[in-house]
Structures are given as structure tokens and as C-alpha cells.
Amino acid sequence: MLIGVVGIVLVFIVVFVAVLVGVFNKLVALKNRYGNAFAQIEVQLKRRYDLIPNLVETVKGYMSHERETLDAVIQARNTAVSGLQAAARNPGDPAAIQGLAGAEGALGGAMGRLFALAESYPDLKASQNMQQLTEELTSTENKVSFARQAFNDAVTAYNTYKQSFPAVIVAGMFGHGQDASLLEFDSEAIAEAPKVSFG
Amino acid sequence: MSSSFFENQDAARRNTSRLVVLFALAVVAIDAMLYALAVVLTGGQVDRVTGQAELILDWWQPELLLQISLLTLAVVALGSLYKISQLRAGGHVVAEALGGTPIPTDTRDREERKILNVVEEMAIAAGLPAPPVYVMEQEPGINAFAAGFSPSDAVIGVTRGCVRQLSRDEFQGVIAHEFSHILNGDMRLNIRLMGVLHGILLIGIIGYFLLRSSMYASIGRRNRDNSGMAMLAIGFGLMAIGSVGTFFGTLIKASVSRQREFLADASAVQFTRNPLGIAGALKKIGGYQSGSLMQSPNAPESSHLFFSQGLRGGMQSLFATHPPLDERIARLDPSWQGAGDTVGQGASETLAAGAAGFAQQGAAPAEEAAFPFSPDGNAVHQIGRPTLAHLDYARKLVEGLPPEVVGAIR
């Protein structure tokens, strides 16, 4: 009789520990997955930040009296670079992610104004260098958004698992207290759409 | 609709599994037919008393059933393994057979740079490594393919027409579609089905050889003995079962292939989140003279790999490896009416009946296109009375103009 009770208790303990181990491992795997997804965004954002000085250098020759716009692009780019560094140190931290998102939005707005201006310089648009840069920037921007899509999917998977039943009880104990936050860039860029006037 | 691409994917996956079960059932049915044949052939006995031949059919002979089943399994497995070993050579072999040349990763060419960039973008979206890319310079049609047994040896091929005619968004949709084939293992599934189909074909081939050898053997002898007759019957039976099996197998395989196309279209929307890109590409194929037709002599063997129907004929039939363009577009873009805009039934027919397409990248379409003006004296009567065919022709003529010319006119 006693042996039977002890056996049942033992079985319960084994099952309980197995579930705990499973939850712990799954949390780690999901966290690493979104960390990795963020690394992919980081690679593409860095590439974008590296391309922007090239772009400004190319554009300078054609539109030297648009100094302000060019300076604004460079400044926004530098802010975004430091925002990315802060976010890369801790991809799950909402404040860092928000900072990066804000900087990215501002950069997007500045770039939009630059491209809108470039419309009125046909020589610039026709130049081989500018066409190549435009293609590379377009592609990099696409890669950023697809990488962000993958990152957001990974974050959603992590948060959903963390908030669902067995994990929700122990997630805090295992050091997964905080929800990871999604990365949204577009808000500010939409608010500050470049104005194009047909004078 | 755009939010239901996950539902579309699920539906296509469900349909695929049903069809694969059906395919397995077809193999079982072939086994049953072979068993029936064996029962009939072994049932012939000579009655000891009367000395007359009679047919005694015993439908339950477990030992015979086991033997026949094992034999069928062995033949089908042998045929499959042979075919699969032939087909799984790796994506680059297929790409080269279709006349593709690889794009070097450090290319300076603007068009090739764009291709590589779009492939890299989709690789990120699909979460796969970026495969090598091949361009088929000789193909003016709009098409693309993915080949390879597994993601690690997969390649993507695009026609020159595909790059030239499609906008960046449309091209992205096409590449995303191909990535779905790689991600969902469609090439592997197809190769396996082709393998089993080859095994079924092998049954028919064995029957054919038995029939032939028994016929040759019986020519030498004057009176056909029983064993000769039996050989003839076995050969004929195997041939019949093999061809019926091949027929239905091909039918099922084609349906599987069509379901995988729907799945790939839905996945392309998932990767790009832009249903209009891939829908636009399909619309362009419908309106474009060369459509998606492939000219490579090796195209028939790989027809199932392409983005859109690569071969002429069988466009609407049960054996088509791709669903009709109209249906694919309608699923992606529910607001599309199909009216005169692009495909429509008429345009598909012109497409099928038309000549091989533009001479070279839209240079001189006039000679090649189906010219609706009759060359005889009736030309005068046609002035001022354009028919649908004329309008269709005019539209294609405009499409064939290089974009710079069109831009200059406008």
C-alpha cells in the first residue's frame, strides 16, 4: 500500500519535472529565435546605414545647395546608428526597441524628403551611380522589412507561449517575466510624409 | 481575402494529403487487379472425370495475395528507386538542362543585381538560405522554376522575359512562389510521385515484353500450347493494368501539382504580404504574347517545376500541372473581373494558338503574332470594322513595343 502511494507520488514528481524542463527549454529556444531574428534585422540596418553616406556623397555633387536636407539625413542616420547599438545589446527591452523605432522613423522621413528633392534633378536620377544606389537601398529596405516581419513573428510566438497555460505560471521564475516587444517603424514616417509640391 | 492566405494554405495542404492517400489507394487497386488476374489465370483446371477445362475461381488465397502484393511492391519500388535516383541529381543539373546560366554573386550587371537582391529578400522572408540563381537567356516567356531535392541543393531559375517584363513587386511575388516550393518540399513530393508512377509504368512495360516474347515464340510453333496462351494473357493483363494505373496515377499527380501551386501562391502572399504583386505577374502572363511558354526541349520533363504552365496544350485539361490562370488570379485578387483586361478565355486561346512569341525581347512582334488581317482582297472591307481579334492584336503590338518608345509617345 505504502509502496503504491510512494510510486504514484514519484511518477507525479517525474512528470512535473519533465514538464518544467520542457517549458524552460522551449522558452530559451523561442527567446534565442527572436534574438537571432533581431540579428538579421541588425545586419540589414547596418548595411543601410553604410549605404547612406555613399548616397549623400553621390547626391552632394548634384544638389550642393540642399545642404540642410543632406545634413538632416546624416544626423538622422547617426541617431539611428546609436539607437541600433542600444537595441542590439538587449533586443527584448521595450525602451531600447522604441528608441530605435523612433530613430528609424525619423531617418525614413529624412530619406523620403531627400528622394523627393532628387526628383527635380534629372541628371542625378540618370547617373549610373545613383541608379545602383537606389536599387541597393530599395533592396536593403525590403530586407529590413522582411527581417522585421520574421522578428515580429518570432516575438509573437515567444509572447504567446509565455502567456499560455503551463508556461505562464513559471515564466517569471525562469527569468522570462517581461514580454518581448514588437518592432514597428512606420508610425512617425507616416506622420511626416514628404511633401511634394507641383509648382 | 488577403488575410486568409493561411486558410488558403491549409486548404491546399489538406487537399494534397487527400490526393496522396488517393495515390496510395491507386497502388492498392493495381495490386488488387493483379491479384484478380492471378486468380483467373491459376483457376483454369482440367476436370479429371470429364477431361474438360473449367474455370474454378477461388477469391480467397492469402498465400497468392501475399506473393502478388510482394511482387507488385518490389516492381513499383524498383521502378521508383530507379527514377528517383535519376531525378534527385540536384537543382543545378535541371537548371543547366533547361539552358540556364548561373548568376555570379558579385555581378555588376544591374538586372542581375536586382534578381539576386530580390532572391535574398525572399530568402529572409521565408527563413531559408538564398539558393543559387540561374537565368535562361533564350526564353522570352515569363516563367521561373525551383529545382532540387532538398533546400540545401535547391536552385531558382528565371527566364529573361520574367526579369524584363515584370515590375519589381511582381517579380518578388514570382520568386516568393518559388521559395514556397522549396520550403514546402514540393520538388521532393513530385519526384516521389513520379517515381511511383514510373514503377506503375514498369508493370505495363513488363506486360509489353511478355506479350511480345510470347508472340515471337508462338510464331515458331504451329500449334499454340497452353503456356504460350497463358503468357499472352499475362502480358496483355499486365499491360492493361499498367496503362490504366499510369493514366489514373498521372491524373492524380497533376491534381497534386495544381494544389501545390495554390499553396505556393498563398505562401507567396504570406512572404510578401502583397497579393497584388503575384496577381500582377499572373495577369501579365495572361496578356503577354509569349505567356509563360518555355522553348527548351527539356521543358516537358520539368513542367511541374515552373511558376506557370510551361507547355502548350492541356491548358484547361485534367492533366495540366498548373491551375488555370484565371482561377489563380481570382484567388489572389477577388476584385478582379477578368474582363478583357488580361486573360479571359479568348486570350488564353490566342495564346495557345499563337506563334512561338516575340522574336527577341519584344523587338519585332509583328511577324510572329497571329495576324488577324486577311492578306487577300478582303482587306478593303475590313477597314473601319475592327473585330475583337484586331483589338487583341493591336494590344499585343503595343505591349511588344520597348518601354522607352511607349514612354516617348506618351
Side-chain angles (χ1 to χ4, degrees), chain B residues 214-270:
Chain B
S214 71
M215 268 155 110
Y216 281 126
S218 64
I219 288 169
R221 277 164 289 174
R222 283 201 51 187
N223 53 342
R224 295 181 181 181
D225 53 7
N226 271 341
S227 73
M229 282 299 286
M231 279 275 273
L232 209 68
I234 294 174
F236 189 78
L238 286 181
M239 242 178 89
I241 293 171
S243 40
V244 169
T246 311
F247 175 83
F248 283 106
T250 313
L251 213 64
I252 298 171
K253 183 178 146 295
S255 324
V256 169
S257 180
R258 291 197 294 271
Q259 288 302 324
R260 299 319 271 187
E261 294 305 323
F262 282 134
L263 174 63
D265 283 350
S267 305
V269 178
Q270 185 204 336

Side-chain angles (χ1 to χ4, degrees), chain A residues 68-153:
Chain A
E68 271 173 46
T69 315
L70 296 181
D71 284 347
V73 168
I74 288 291
Q75 214 160 39
R77 179 237 174 216
N78 292 341
T79 316
V81 169
S82 46
L84 174 64
Q85 280 163 357
R89 273 194 292 276
N90 191 1
D93 178 26
I97 294 286
Q98 287 313 315
L100 174 61
E104 263 298 315
L107 178 59
M111 293 282 285
R113 279 188 292 280
L114 176 62
F115 276 111
L117 271 178
E119 284 296 307
S120 47
Y121 292 82
D123 290 352
L124 172 62
K125 272 172 69 188
S127 93
Q128 192 75 17
N129 223 342
M130 184 64 181
Q131 283 178 354
Q132 266 176 16
L133 271 171
T134 313
E135 163 64 25
E136 288 308 309
L137 272 170
T138 309
S139 176
T140 312
E141 221 135 282
N142 284 344
K143 284 175 193 164
V144 170
S145 63
F146 290 129
R148 205 186 69 204
Q149 193 172 295
F151 171 78
N152 285 346
D153 286 351

Side-chain angles (χ1 to χ4, degrees), chain B residues 172-204:
Chain B
Q172 208 176 46
V174 172
I175 297 295
H177 173 104
E178 299 309 331
F179 263 103
S180 162
H181 282 319
I182 299 177
L183 186 70
N184 291 315
D186 291 353
M187 293 93 79
R188 198 168 42 221
L189 176 68
N190 226 305
I191 286 172
R192 285 189 183 144
L193 289 184
M194 273 167 93
V196 177
L197 207 53
H198 189 76
I200 297 171
L201 192 70
L202 194 61
I203 295 174

Side-chain angles (χ1 to χ4, degrees), chain A residues 40 44 47 128 131-132 135-136 138-140 142-144 146-147 149-150 153, chain B residues 108 110 113-118 120-122 124-125 168 172 270-273:
Chain A
Q40 183 61 249
Q44 300 306 335
R47 190 177 145 65
Q128 192 75 17
Q131 283 178 354
Q132 266 176 16
E135 163 64 25
E136 288 308 309
T138 309
S139 176
T140 312
N142 284 344
K143 284 175 193 164
V144 170
F146 290 129
Q149 193 172 295
D153 286 351
Chain B
R108 305 289 300 167
R110 272 186 59 209
R113 193 72 250 163
K114 186 178 97 177
I115 301 174
L116 288 187
N117 279 341
V118 170
E120 281 169 20
E121 288 161 25
M122 284 303 105
I124 291 173
R168 204 191 154 94
Q172 208 176 46
Q270 185 204 336
F271 298 152
T272 60
R273 303 286 153 111

Side-chain angles (χ1 to χ4, degrees), chain B residues 279-339:
Chain B
L282 289 168
K283 286 176 195 168
K284 267 198 186 151
I285 290 174
Y288 181 45
Q289 177 73 27
S290 297
S292 55
L293 298 179
M294 298 290 294
Q295 294 175 343
S296 163
N298 289 323
E301 284 187 0
S302 334
S303 62
H304 56 276
L305 300 173
F306 290 108
F307 172 65
S308 176
Q309 194 82 10
L311 297 169
R312 197 168 284 143
M315 202 73 168
Q316 311 279 336
S317 84
L318 290 166
F319 291 102
T321 51
H322 289 65
L325 278 178
D326 314 27
E327 207 181 322
R328 290 174 70 183
I329 299 172
R331 287 200 188 189
L332 292 164
D333 177 8
S335 66
W336 185 69
Q337 297 299 317

